[in-house]
Amino acid sequence: MHSHRRIAHLDMDAFFASVELLHYPELRGQPVVVGGRRVAPPQILPDGSRQFARLRDYAGRGVVTTSTYEARALGVFSAMGLMKAAQRAPGAILLPANFDAYRDYSRRFKAAVATIAPHIEDRGIDEIYIDLSDLPEDSPTLARQIKAAIFAATGLTCSIGITPNKLLAKIASDLDKPNGITILGLDNVPARIWPLPARRINGIGPKAGDKLAGLGIVTIGELAAAPRELLCRHFGQRYGDWLHQVAHGLDERPVAVEREIKSVSRESTFERDLHPQQDRAELSEIFTALCRHVAADLQRKGYASRTIGIKLRFADFQIVTRDLTLPATTADAVVIRRAAGECLKRVPLQQRIRLLGVRAGGLQPLHAATPAPAEQPQLPLFA
């Protein structure tokens, strides 16, 4: 372990919802949910005020893209079905997603951070890792400077965790949300990290969490105390070794500043394992959203892809991947979704799915991308 390392994880606070509140400040302090297809935009009334859709009036198979902290307090979280969310918070405001605005504010906050700490690993539209190791300022000062720069550039707040590695930084950034600063060393792991649920470790999903609970392991501290042999026996050598390591707060991964990115990917681990047939509509909605996110990431980074792939992790932890090489490069969400659907056709869908991912590889600069054929084949998805 490199004891001198200072790694920050920066997570924007309820990012999509916060961007919406910049446009609709009258909604501050209210439960607001963003997501779903065909959600009506706010209507301007004769007196100049705005009339917003309510969650109780939504009918469809859409899922929550994000929610404000007030909505989360009512039990509404991202990736939840909107119909289920309506049962928990029927009076919540429902807004359509505006991904153009989110991408714009994402570029703004990352540019603001780069003026202070340029060693950045982009982890998506609303989060980054930052290597602060070589900067002269102390960690509290850097955190305050970064937060002030982001607020000046966007009007938005973020939460920052600063620790010796990426694993702990990811956990720390979530400890004092929203608008928090959390600084931890390895000596803080027993007091601040071990009491947390094991699921708080990025990479331990619902199924692994349930399996650990079945072994009497609920907290990270209990995971740290578990014999390595026990973990390897129940989870396999590789994953068992990893569980033992991360429970002790150990992580050697560097902050990777991608000069030339090789691929772009998005994945989602579900709250419950989803059945390919019984939950087909929900899976299709999530799959479409992942493809849209990948397309948005490609466009934001200035790349087009020639190879589209998928990743599935089934209920028994088996991982399956498939990919497809396209006749022309693309950064279009519809084309990516069709290609990903073709990959999916090559996977026997005979058991429940716990993770679904979409990957774009074979990247070329967007301006040099080859044009797509005039006609694209119709590729079924979860048919």
Side-chain angles (χ1 to χ4, degrees):
M1 174 63 66
H2 305 291
S3 59
H4 69 281
R5 287 204 303 169
R6 286 188 299 163
I7 308 301
H9 180 261
L10 186 154
D11 192 18
M12 299 299 290
D13 295 326
F15 182 55
F16 294 175
S18 297
V19 172
E20 295 295 343
L21 294 180
L22 293 176
H23 297 100
Y24 308 115
E26 66 267 39
L27 298 181
R28 291 190 184 279
Q30 298 188 48
V32 177
V33 175
V34 177
R37 298 181 183 178
R38 299 180 296 275
V39 174
Q43 301 297 310
I44 305 297
L45 300 178
D47 63 1
S49 64
R50 284 184 279 239
Q51 182 177 354
F52 298 93
R54 297 282 176 172
L55 199 52
R56 67 167 68 91
D57 300 319
Y58 179 83
R61 296 282 188 171
V63 298
V64 176
T65 301
T66 191
S67 56
T68 60
Y69 289 103
E70 291 80 6
R72 296 178 191 185
L74 299 174
V76 177
F77 300 95
S78 60
M80 176 183 292
L82 285 171
M83 297 294 285
K84 180 179 179 181
Q87 296 174 1
R88 299 187 177 186
I93 300 293
L94 180 59
L95 295 174
N98 182 356
F99 286 100
D100 288 339
Y102 309 150
R103 287 190 290 270
D104 176 48
Y105 278 88
S106 178
R107 287 189 292 266
R108 292 192 204 182
F109 95 75
K110 291 167 186 174
V113 174
T115 64
I116 298 169
H119 202 121
I120 295 170
E121 178 180 335
D122 194 335
R123 295 303 301 169
I125 197 166
D126 62 348
E127 62 175 315
I128 56 176
Y129 287 104
I130 319 164
D131 194 333
L132 306 174
S133 304
D134 296 330
L135 298 178
E137 296 87 350
D138 61 46
S139 295
T141 298
L142 284 170
R144 290 192 295 268
Q145 289 176 350
I146 290 170
K147 289 167 67 70
I150 289 175
F151 189 81
T154 66
L156 300 172
T157 65
C158 67
S159 294
I160 300 176
I162 302 178
T163 74
N165 59 54
K166 292 166 71 172
L167 168 81
L168 294 176
K170 174 79 171 177
I171 297 174
S173 67
D174 195 49
L175 292 181
D176 297 302
K177 268 187 167 291
N179 202 21
I181 297 174
T182 305
I183 301 172
L184 302 178
L186 286 177
D187 57 336
N188 300 123
V189 168
R192 294 296 306 274
I193 303 300
W194 282 355
L196 300 174
R199 284 285 313 278
R200 294 290 286 274
I201 294 176
N202 190 34
I204 299 180
K207 193 71 173 183
D210 290 344
K211 193 170 183 179
L212 286 169
L215 298 173
I217 299 170
V218 176
T219 68
I220 298 176
E222 290 168 344
L223 182 59
R228 184 194 297 262
E229 296 75 16
L230 173 72
L231 299 175
C232 292
R233 185 164 66 249
H234 286 276
F235 292 93
Q237 187 70 41
R238 183 177 178 182
Y239 193 62
D241 284 339
W242 177 83
L243 286 171
H244 181 79
Q245 181 179 28
V246 297
H248 288 86
L250 303 179
D251 179 18
E252 290 288 336
R253 293 174 300 159
V255 172
V257 180
E258 296 179 328
R259 301 277 191 300
E260 183 177 350
I261 63 173
K262 303 298 183 182
S263 65
V264 170
S265 63
R266 288 293 187 114
E267 60 184 39
S268 177
T269 300
F270 310 134
E271 291 184 355
R272 62 180 180 87
D273 296 342
L274 299 180
H275 192 279
Q277 296 302 322
Q278 298 170 9
D279 301 302
R280 181 171 57 184
E282 186 174 354
L283 279 166
S284 184
E285 185 80 25
I286 294 170
F287 203 19
T288 298
L290 289 171
C291 293
R292 287 175 176 166
H293 285 311
V294 168
D297 289 343
L298 286 171
Q299 295 165 21
R300 176 169 50 82
K301 295 173 183 288
Y303 286 92
S305 169
R306 190 67 180 266
T307 303
I308 303 301
I310 63 168
K311 172 183 175 182
L312 297 98
R313 180 178 291 138
F314 291 105
D316 63 357
F317 289 90
Q318 177 192 11
I319 296 175
V320 174
T321 61
R322 296 290 187 272
D323 59 63
L324 174 70
T325 299
L326 302 173
T329 55
T330 186
D332 181 83
V334 174
V335 178
I336 291 172
R337 186 184 188 277
R338 288 171 177 165
E342 181 69 12
C343 293
L344 194 65
K345 287 171 59 181
R346 294 156 46 200
V347 180
L349 299 176
Q350 298 173 340
Q351 60 172 307
R352 291 182 179 273
I353 300 167
R354 66 182 305 266
L355 177 146
L356 184 59
V358 177
R359 176 182 177 275
L363 304 186
Q364 296 181 17
L366 195 56
H367 63 80
T370 53
E375 294 186 4
Q376 292 290 334
Q378 294 297 315
L379 304 178
L381 182 65
F382 286 103

